[in-house]
Amino acid sequence: MADQIPLYPVRSAAAAAASHRRAAYYSAAGPGPGVDRRGRYQLEDESAHLDEMPLMMSEEGFENDESDYHTLPRARITRRKRGLEWFVCGGWKFLCTSCCDWLINVCQRKKELKARTVWLGCPEKCEEKHPRNSIKNQKYNVFTFIPGVLYEQFKFFLNLYFLVVSCSQFVPALKIGYLYTYWAPLGFVLAVTIAREAIDEFRRFQRDKEMNSQLYSKLTVRGKVQVKSSDIQVGDLIIVEKNQRIPSDMVFLRTSEKAGSCFIRTDQLDGETDWKLKVAVSCTQRLPALGDLFSISAYVYAQKPQLDIHSFEGTFTREDSDPPIHESLSIENTLWASTVVASGTVIGVVIYTGKETRSVMNTSNPKNKVGLLDLELNQLTKALFLALVVLSVVMVTLQGFAGPWYRNLFRFLLLFSYIIPISLRVNLDMGKAAYGWMIMKDENIPGTVVRTSTIPEELGRLVYLLTDKTGTLTQNEMVFKRLHLGTVSYGTDTMDEIQSHVLNSYLQHPVLKVHSQPSGHNPSSAPLRRSQSSTPKVKKSVSSRIHEAVKAIALCHNVTPVYEARAGITGETEFAEADQDFSDENRTYQASSPDEVALVRWTESVGLTLVSRDLASMQLKTPSGQVLTYCILQMFPFTSESKRMGIIVRDESTAEITFYMKGADVAMSTIVQYNDWLEEECGNMAREGLRTLVVAKRTLTEEQYQDFESRYSQAKLSIHDRTLKVAAVVESLEREMELLCLTGVEDQLQADVRPTLEMLRNAGIKIWMLTGDKLETATCIAKSSHLVSRTQDIHVFRPVSNRGEAHLELNAFRRKHDCALVISGDSLEVCLRYYEHELVELACQCPAVVCCRCSPTQKAHIVTLLRQHTRKRTCAIGDGGNDVSMIQAADCGIGIEGKEGKQASLAADFSITQFRHIGRLLMVHGRNSYKRSAALGQFVMHRGLIISTMQAVFSSVFYFASVPLYQGFLMVGYATIYTMFPVFSLVLDQDVKPEMAILYPELYKDLTKGRSLSFKTFLIWVLISIYQGGILMYGALLLFEAEFVHVVAISFTALILTELLMVALTIRTWHWLMVVAEFLSLGCYVASLAFLNEYFDVAFITTVTFVWKVSAITVVSCLPLYVLKYLKRKLSPPSYSKLSS
């Protein structure tokens, strides 16, 4: 039934039938809801009523008699929190951010973007003030740097808490110990952070300065002057040389190329490496000299700045001619900033600068990324703070609230403040730096750079990987692989047969030479073609069919051969047609699609070479060196709607007119004559991961062509429905075309893409491909890279343009199970507008998702949606300027240094040189970073908890006095020199060997559950700390009734030994540096005993009694834990230990 529903709403007579059918469709559930809906689902005002109609989220919705609202996802029906509950549960945070946003908006009141009139070469005539043309990637300026960095630090509860504690030491009544014990660690943390941010900021500043100070030639009345990129204004006439970056958005006025057009490279804007053809405004291109641009009075009217890089509307008007000349401007007359001129020199008038350029509007501001582990530790420190407050209140209560109890409460809070260790941030930040160093030093992934050192643990927690296609999964190098003629198929190993067939066919039918070569053969004398075409139709030989197919591929394209002037040839001869150097070694092909270049390169390899082309003709060279000239009568360019391109050419030697066409099989199968092999062979090639094109031709008589041309030019002049009328005229030619061949081109994948994607899939990571490329190509690469496995179905989401269509299409998709989704950017936009939650929920259940025709902002939007809806960690990987927004929006951004430049790798958190390196980066380094940081964080907390427990026991024994157990240097030494090295050596620990982690990617799944650091593991550490702290303190008090003064010496020594043993207990794989750290710390402590006379009695320390009593306490505090650990490993070993054993 669903198939009967028209996808596009039809007005008039069909409207009633459609609405009736839809009503019937919905009444399938029974009389109840169906009757209600019958009148409701009218096409005229469907969007108004669709609010009432929920998307059916399950099969049952169709048969269900009850209201559909039962089938809505839970997220929609969550109870709204009210009043105080809302405020406590995060409402305060919402209010604060809202206020800040409002203040920022007031300060930076955004001015409304407007359309503009720009006079050529007269920036002073602009009515509006336009932004400066400078690039700015910095996060702060001179004034906001210190406040900004301090805010980023103190928004963490941990750091804010230490600031308050340290400040409290200036109050005499609250002073406990020495000031440096509080301020030194805090100062160290801030100094390190500020230094790191300052270096990063300075690097950004230098990069921006380099871009802004690039010099360009500006055309003025007095001639050319050099200007900096940042000083360019709207209305300036700028000259851009070949291979120079275009500094701002311009309208293309003139070029040095004779054809009046040039190529530009747009890879930093839209990620496509193919060259785009741009056309100069014909009025200015026709002017005799450059200086004449100032002698005319002309202006450009441009629409207001907007995001869309694929469209532009404007007009060019020359006032001083009679009558005034008006030209309409479209996207092909524009030169966007950040693109590069690939051929010739161009002159343009600047229409948008700085923040209003398309490239800047499509990039998002970089945000400070905070790792999930840091957020989890932040939650745990809040729990510790709660414990601290409770403990202090209990102490004061046990005192009986005697005297100034609130002052005692605050003193207790300070005494126990070691529960929350300040060294936690220091250790973690140093750990992160160590992980970054290890990643960059890994020889298996050379060239990897860590640009954001704060989030290496994120690499171990990823659930979604969003990847670009072109240049990331593929090398963007097309290779011709297969030619199929219906009865016979040629692959790479049989291309030499084709070559001999082509050679023979040109030797059998020599062609009248039009273009005399310097070698000078005698012109052939027979126009044999004419007589051949009039003979009755017979079954052609394989040789002639190959010849026809190769000729069609060599003619039906939009490729231009470009000749580099060789050294030693002077400038004049470069343009002299007679001496044009047609030699093969300095010819390169340029086209807007790499597929076309691959096809033309292939025809060259089999003997038919494209040697020159302009807007009116093209020339082919045969294997024997003859040059054939073809006159181009009409061009029908490729569009994503028609999915095909055509060309009508006249052979100069025979005057034969032929209409050639090539396109996707879906578009061509209805146009060509009936055959029984096309569909099957297309399927076979697609399964091999080849991009297929069907090539066909039709021979036209002179009368047929003249008739077509008159109708075509008439259609092109019509004002209403021009595109429809033109399409209708062209379609009249597209009938019963002769099918020549099917071609297969392969976009070569990057090295080891398939095993890497498989490894990531086995690791439980869901992979989404977001690309700006066509739907067919994207689907093709998804199959060939095994992003979608061979057994999986693919659901191609049909194009939708309004809410009703989106509704029906989503319901159709809902019924599919375990199939990959392919959706285009336009349909995605429509679905997200009305059914955001439903679409994301459905897409997240798919094993793989491919989004094609995505703009840079759409890519970033998808990443943000995934983060918000799933609350899981996302990673984006790309290699072009169009991936920057997506990389910055993800929790973890990875850039590949590729052919598309370094823009993505500079904006990313991690930069790699090849896609396959991502496997080791996540499986090995991600795993280690997360596991190590989790162990390190919890151990540092344990170190603070154990000493706070001892303080609590000490205070309770001594009548709840708020007196510190350990004074001054002992406290600083405990957190630094005595235990710092062994604890920090945990960053060298590893639970699984790197080879194991890569061999069994399934181990990665455990990490995403976050079990290494959770409230459960944290509570275990709390219990260990309480047990050990209690044993150490009570043991010291029990064994030392006579020498009470020695309690400090004994308990402190036992504490240091316990900590060193606990580090040894935590370590899973020993490293020689760990052993050094253990003995070094012990040595430091023993050596320092001699100097700490104020705390220890040296005479007592050297006695045997002291040694055995300390040993006894230490054994009691540690031995049970060793026994428990051994039993746990025996009875319920972790998954990784099963492998390593």
Side-chain angles (χ1 to χ4, degrees):
M1 185 111 196
D3 302 329
Q4 298 168 13
I5 295 163
L7 256 185
Y8 299 97
V10 193
R11 293 281 176 270
S12 70
S19 65
H20 179 76
R21 271 211 299 277
R22 278 183 177 157
Y25 173 73
Y26 281 111
S27 59
V35 175
D36 292 351
R37 285 213 192 89
R38 196 185 167 97
R40 189 199 292 180
Y41 204 99
Q42 288 303 313
L43 280 165
E44 267 41 17
D45 51 358
E46 62 182 358
S47 56
H49 296 306
L50 273 160
D51 288 326
E52 305 161 36
M53 193 174 74
L55 178 67
M56 300 195 181
M57 297 303 289
S58 68
E59 293 262 358
E60 294 80 58
F62 284 89
E63 288 83 41
N64 212 342
D65 278 341
E66 299 169 45
S67 161
D68 286 332
Y69 283 98
H70 292 302
T71 54
L72 267 181
R74 285 190 302 281
R76 282 286 171 89
I77 318 172
T78 45
R79 187 171 58 85
R80 292 290 297 275
K81 293 173 177 163
R82 293 211 175 84
L84 191 64
E85 185 191 356
W86 173 80
F87 186 78
V88 173
C89 295
W92 61 275
K93 200 182 274 182
F94 174 73
L95 285 176
C96 292
T97 35
S98 305
C99 294
C100 293
D101 289 346
W102 178 78
L103 275 171
I104 290 166
N105 283 339
V106 169
C107 300
Q108 319 175 332
R109 184 62 56 74
K110 274 194 182 159
K111 79 173 206 296
E112 198 184 336
L113 299 172
K114 291 181 187 156
R116 60 198 56 188
T117 301
V118 179
W119 290 85
L120 265 60
C122 306
E124 62 281 352
K125 281 196 184 178
C126 290
E127 302 109 31
E128 297 275 318
K129 195 170 179 287
H130 300 297
R132 279 192 71 217
N133 191 42
S134 58
I135 291 171
K136 187 171 183 291
N137 286 314
Q138 290 157 260
K139 287 185 194 171
Y140 312 103
N141 58 32
V142 180
F143 303 107
T144 59
F145 178 70
I146 295 290
V149 174
L150 290 178
Y151 167 72
E152 286 298 329
Q153 283 307 302
F154 291 125
K155 76 177 183 189
F156 277 108
F157 176 76
L158 193 66
N159 296 3
L160 186 64
Y161 166 77
F162 281 116
L163 184 68
V164 174
V165 167
S166 304
C167 290
S168 71
Q169 291 305 288
F170 291 117
V171 181
L174 302 175
K175 191 164 183 238
I176 293 176
Y178 303 105
L179 268 180
Y180 70 83
T181 58
Y182 290 92
W183 279 99
L186 186 67
F188 177 70
V189 174
L190 290 180
V192 169
T193 309
I194 290 173
R196 192 177 62 207
E197 274 295 331
I199 291 166
D200 285 353
E201 195 65 7
F202 182 65
R203 281 184 189 149
R204 281 188 213 111
F205 166 72
Q206 279 185 314
R207 282 206 297 270
D208 291 348
K209 191 177 172 188
E210 189 185 331
M211 294 291 268
N212 290 329
S213 52
Q214 283 180 351
L215 291 175
Y216 290 89
S217 300
K218 170 176 154 182
L219 209 60
T220 62
V221 185
R222 291 180 296 284
K224 294 181 189 177
V225 291
Q226 294 283 312
V227 287
K228 281 185 182 172
S229 169
S230 54
D231 296 335
I232 290 172
Q233 297 170 294
V234 171
D236 281 346
L237 296 175
I238 301 294
I239 301 171
V240 188
E241 303 291 337
K242 183 178 176 181
N243 290 332
Q244 213 178 0
R245 184 183 73 89
I246 293 171
S248 55
D249 288 357
M250 309 198 290
V251 164
F252 183 15
L253 299 179
R254 275 181 82 85
T255 172
S256 60
E257 302 281 289
K258 288 202 304 293
S261 59
C262 80
F263 283 105
I264 62 165
R265 293 201 294 270
T266 60
D267 46 19
Q268 292 302 326
L269 188 66
D270 59 9
E272 294 183 18
T273 50
D274 40 358
W275 294 12
K276 307 284 187 294
L277 187 74
K278 297 289 177 178
V279 182
V281 175
S282 57
C283 174
T284 48
Q285 178 67 24
R286 283 198 305 267
L287 294 173
L290 253 187
D292 296 340
L293 285 170
F294 286 98
S295 63
I296 63 169
S297 166
Y299 63 84
V300 168
Y301 172 79
Q303 65 182 149
K304 67 177 186 184
Q306 57 179 30
L307 279 171
D308 189 0
I309 54 177
H310 299 298
S311 71
F312 174 74
E313 286 169 19
T315 52
F316 175 88
T317 307
R318 181 176 172 181
E319 283 193 327
D320 57 354
S321 66
D322 191 34
I325 298 172
H326 296 285
E327 266 190 60
S328 73
L329 301 177
S330 69
I331 186 70
E332 63 179 15
N333 306 112
T334 59
L335 304 166
W336 294 148
S338 293
T339 57
V340 177
V341 178
S343 65
T345 304
V346 304
I347 294 110
V349 59
V350 176
I351 50 171
Y352 308 123
T353 51
K355 282 184 276 197
E356 293 176 346
T357 59
R358 294 288 204 270
S359 62
V360 175
M361 289 179 84
N362 269 291
T363 46
S364 49
N365 292 329
K367 59 180 177 50
N368 280 324
K369 295 186 180 179
V370 180
L372 185 59
L373 186 100
D374 293 319
L375 297 173
E376 289 170 343
L377 283 169
N378 206 33
Q379 295 294 349
L380 295 183
T381 44
K382 287 177 187 169
L384 285 173
F385 178 70
L386 203 65
L388 166 71
V389 174
V390 170
L391 187 58
S392 307
V393 170
V394 167
M395 284 295 181
V396 175
T397 312
L398 291 172
Q399 270 185 343
F401 293 103
W405 61 270
Y406 48 88
R407 196 173 72 194
N408 286 345
L409 176 68
F410 211 95
R411 279 179 71 87
F412 273 124
L413 281 174
L414 293 171
L415 272 182
F416 298 139
S417 68
Y418 284 96
I419 283 185
I420 304 174
I422 186 155
S423 52
L424 182 62
R425 298 275 335 158
V426 186
N427 275 300
L428 284 177
D429 283 355
M430 282 164 51
K432 288 170 198 280
Y435 310 143
W437 184 82
M438 288 173 198
I439 290 172
M440 292 200 270
K441 284 279 169 276
D442 188 344
E443 289 166 4
N444 294 299
I445 45 173
T448 304
V449 182
V450 178
R451 298 192 195 279
T452 307
S453 55
T454 51
I455 55 167
E457 300 92 358
E458 290 293 275
L459 293 170
R461 309 289 295 276
L462 302 175
V463 179
Y464 288 97
L465 177 75
L466 301 104
T467 168
D468 176 40
K469 177 188 75 70
T470 313
T472 304
L473 296 177
T474 66
Q475 298 177 19
N476 207 30
E477 281 179 9
M478 306 294 170
V479 181
F480 189 94
K481 285 284 185 186
R482 179 150 310 165
L483 180 74
H484 204 295
L485 300 171
T487 51
V488 59
S489 165
Y490 293 94
T492 38
D493 46 352
T494 49
M495 290 299 174
D496 48 347
E497 286 184 36
I498 297 182
Q499 202 169 348
S500 61
H501 281 306
V502 172
L503 187 63
N504 292 339
S505 62
Y506 278 107
L507 291 174
Q508 283 166 21
H509 314 297
V511 187
L512 179 67
K513 265 193 315 170
V514 176
H515 197 99
S516 169
Q517 283 292 94
S519 52
H521 295 289
N522 288 329
S524 313
S525 53
L528 287 169
R529 283 294 162 79
R530 182 56 60 85
S531 58
Q532 200 184 355
S533 62
S534 56
T535 53
K537 206 169 183 182
V538 288
K539 193 165 171 68
K540 292 180 181 170
S541 68
V542 170
S543 186
S544 67
R545 281 166 56 202
I546 288 177
H547 173 219
E548 283 296 325
V550 173
K551 190 169 76 170
I553 295 169
L555 288 171
C556 183
H557 53 70
N558 206 345
V559 180
T560 310
V562 179
Y563 293 91
E564 298 294 332
R566 278 207 307 230
I569 297 179
T570 53
E572 290 82 45
T573 56
E574 190 185 340
F575 290 109
E577 276 300 322
D579 307 322
Q580 176 97 32
D581 188 7
F582 280 162
S583 64
D584 294 347
E585 58 269 11
N586 61 352
R587 181 193 311 109
T588 52
Y589 294 113
Q590 285 315 329
S592 60
S593 156
D595 298 59
E596 293 206 312
V597 176
L599 292 172
V600 173
R601 280 220 182 96
W602 174 77
T603 63
E604 180 185 355
S605 74
V606 295
L608 201 56
T609 310
L610 174 71
V611 286
S612 81
R613 180 191 183 132
D614 53 35
L615 295 174
S617 71
M618 68 171 103
Q619 293 177 325
L620 301 180
K621 190 165 75 173
T622 66
S624 56
Q626 300 168 331
V627 175
L628 316 173
T629 304
Y630 292 89
C631 181
I632 300 172
L633 302 177
Q634 297 289 350
M635 258 311 281
F636 313 113
F638 181 93
T639 65
S640 48
E641 288 76 46
S642 71
K643 296 186 174 45
R644 54 188 182 266
M645 64 90 54
I647 188 168
I648 300 179
V649 292
R650 179 190 278 122
D651 186 339
E652 295 277 316
S653 59
T654 62
E656 190 178 75
I657 298 174
T658 316
F659 172 37
Y660 288 109
M661 188 156 226
K662 72 164 190 264
D665 52 314
V666 279
M668 298 289 289
S669 55
T670 53
I671 294 171
V672 296
Q673 292 167 351
Y674 174 76
N675 63 79
D676 55 1
W677 60 271
L678 183 63
E679 193 181 342
E680 185 186 345
E681 286 307 326
C682 281
N684 292 342
M685 285 198 195
R687 276 190 284 281
E688 288 177 45
L690 300 179
R691 297 150 73 117
T692 53
L693 283 173
V694 179
V695 184
K697 76 163 198 176
R698 182 178 170 187
T699 310
L700 304 176
T701 61
E702 190 67 41
E703 299 76 48
Q704 281 176 322
Y705 175 68
Q706 292 304 335
D707 168 52
F708 165 78
E709 194 186 32
S710 63
R711 287 184 296 131
Y712 187 65
S713 45
Q714 208 175 340
K716 283 211 310 200
L717 289 173
S718 60
I719 297 168
H720 301 294
D721 298 331
R722 181 187 300 175
T723 44
L724 284 172
K725 287 178 182 169
V726 168
V729 175
V730 177
E731 266 174 37
S732 68
L733 274 189
E734 298 171 350
R735 294 202 183 128
E736 287 297 297
M737 293 186 74
E738 183 189 337
L739 172 58
L740 295 175
C741 64
L742 175 65
T743 64
V745 174
E746 182 182 41
D747 184 355
Q748 292 192 304
L749 295 173
Q750 293 263 10
D752 292 340
V753 160
R754 290 182 185 127
T756 305
L757 287 177
E758 195 169 339
M759 180 198 293
L760 295 173
R761 255 210 312 276
N762 291 342
I765 296 173
K766 290 192 174 177
I767 304 162
W768 289 33
M769 186 165 91
L770 313 180
T771 172
D773 223 324
K774 301 195 291 287
L775 189 135
E776 290 79 18
T777 318
T779 316
C780 202
I781 294 297
K783 285 177 183 167
S784 65
S785 65
H786 294 185
L787 176 75
V788 177
S789 65
R790 299 194 166 212
T791 52
Q792 260 164 13
D793 284 338
I794 292 184
H795 177 83
V796 178
F797 204 90
R798 280 187 289 191
V800 297
S801 56
N802 58 38
R803 188 165 184 171
E805 290 171 5
H807 186 100
L808 297 171
E809 192 53 37
L810 274 169
N811 275 339
F813 176 44
R814 182 79 193 178
R815 298 196 191 95
K816 297 277 179 79
H817 295 294
D818 189 46
C819 68
L821 170 66
V822 179
I823 185 168
S824 71
D826 309 336
S827 306
L828 188 72
E829 196 71 24
V830 175
C831 293
L832 291 179
R833 194 178 311 142
Y834 302 117
Y835 298 114
E836 181 181 287
H837 180 87
E838 290 84 343
L839 180 71
V840 177
E841 191 181 357
L842 285 174
C844 286
Q845 292 164 8
C846 293
V849 177
V850 177
C851 302
C852 50
R853 286 273 169 230
C854 279
S855 68
T857 26
Q858 262 180 335
K859 288 184 177 185
H861 186 49
I862 293 168
V863 174
T864 316
L865 272 179
L866 263 183
R867 288 181 56 209
Q868 288 168 351
H869 278 267
T870 61
R871 303 265 173 221
K872 298 278 196 296
R873 303 322 264 177
T874 56
C875 170
I877 176 167
D879 69 324
N882 61 321
D883 303 317
V884 170
S885 300
M886 154 172 100
I887 284 171
Q888 289 177 338
D891 295 300
C892 168
I894 300 176
I896 297 182
E897 281 188 27
K899 291 197 171 129
E900 299 190 14
K902 285 191 169 185
Q903 205 169 336
S905 84
L906 289 173
D909 307 308
F910 302 91
S911 160
I912 59 180
T913 52
Q914 287 184 317
F915 182 80
R916 63 176 176 178
H917 291 170
I918 196 175
R920 187 174 176 88
L921 192 65
L922 303 190
M923 300 302 125
V924 178
H925 293 288
R927 177 185 191 84
N928 287 344
S929 302
Y930 170 58
K931 287 271 192 182
R932 289 164 177 173
S933 280
L936 185 65
Q938 293 181 119
F939 204 93
V940 172
M941 286 180 180
H942 155 77
R943 194 170 66 182
L945 277 166
I946 195 170
I947 205 162
S948 301
T949 310
M950 293 171 76
Q951 176 70 54
V953 173
F954 176 76
S955 291
S956 19
V957 170
F958 288 92
Y959 311 105
F960 309 106
S962 51
V963 180
L965 167 61
Y966 303 128
Q967 289 281 350
F969 183 77
L970 286 187
M971 284 311 288
V972 175
Y974 170 68
T976 55
I977 196 160
Y978 298 151
T979 61
M980 183 172 75
F981 299 117
V983 170
F984 187 68
S985 73
L986 288 171
V987 302
L988 298 169
D989 192 19
Q990 61 179 31
D991 56 349
V992 177
K993 285 196 176 76
E995 300 75 41
M996 278 288 176
I998 289 174
L999 189 60
Y1000 298 105
E1002 291 78 7
L1003 289 170
Y1004 190 88
K1005 286 181 188 171
D1006 284 351
L1007 305 182
T1008 51
K1009 294 171 188 161
R1011 288 178 180 162
S1012 299
L1013 176 70
S1014 59
F1015 269 104
K1016 181 184 166 187
T1017 57
F1018 171 65
L1019 281 173
I1020 292 170
W1021 276 106
V1022 170
L1023 294 173
I1024 291 173
S1025 309
I1026 292 171
Y1027 166 75
Q1028 289 188 327
I1031 291 288
L1032 292 174
M1033 202 62 229
Y1034 275 119
L1037 294 174
L1038 281 174
L1039 296 176
F1040 288 86
E1041 285 163 6
E1043 311 95 345
F1044 220 47
V1045 268
H1046 302 321
V1047 166
V1048 170
I1050 294 205
S1051 60
F1052 194 74
T1053 309
L1055 174 64
I1056 297 293
L1057 289 174
T1058 298
E1059 278 299 292
L1060 296 181
L1061 285 170
M1062 280 304 290
V1063 172
L1065 175 71
T1066 310
I1067 287 170
R1068 287 170 287 226
T1069 311
W1070 282 88
H1071 187 284
W1072 65 271
L1073 279 172
M1074 296 173 170
V1075 183
V1076 171
E1078 291 268 350
F1079 284 109
L1080 182 68
S1081 298
L1082 191 59
C1084 285
Y1085 178 62
V1086 173
S1088 66
L1089 289 178
F1091 306 105
L1092 300 175
N1093 300 335
E1094 52 177 317
Y1095 308 113
F1096 299 143
D1097 174 0
V1098 181
F1100 168 68
I1101 286 172
T1102 50
T1103 62
V1104 178
T1105 328
F1106 170 79
V1107 175
W1108 83 256
K1109 289 186 175 178
V1110 166
S1111 308
I1113 295 172
T1114 311
V1115 166
V1116 174
S1117 78
C1118 291
L1119 192 63
L1121 296 172
Y1122 269 87
V1123 173
L1124 282 173
K1125 180 182 178 180
Y1126 175 76
L1127 289 173
K1128 186 170 185 291
R1129 290 287 305 238
K1130 273 278 169 261
L1131 300 172
S1132 74
S1135 53
Y1136 59 82
S1137 67
K1138 295 170 191 166
L1139 296 175
S1140 47
S1141 59

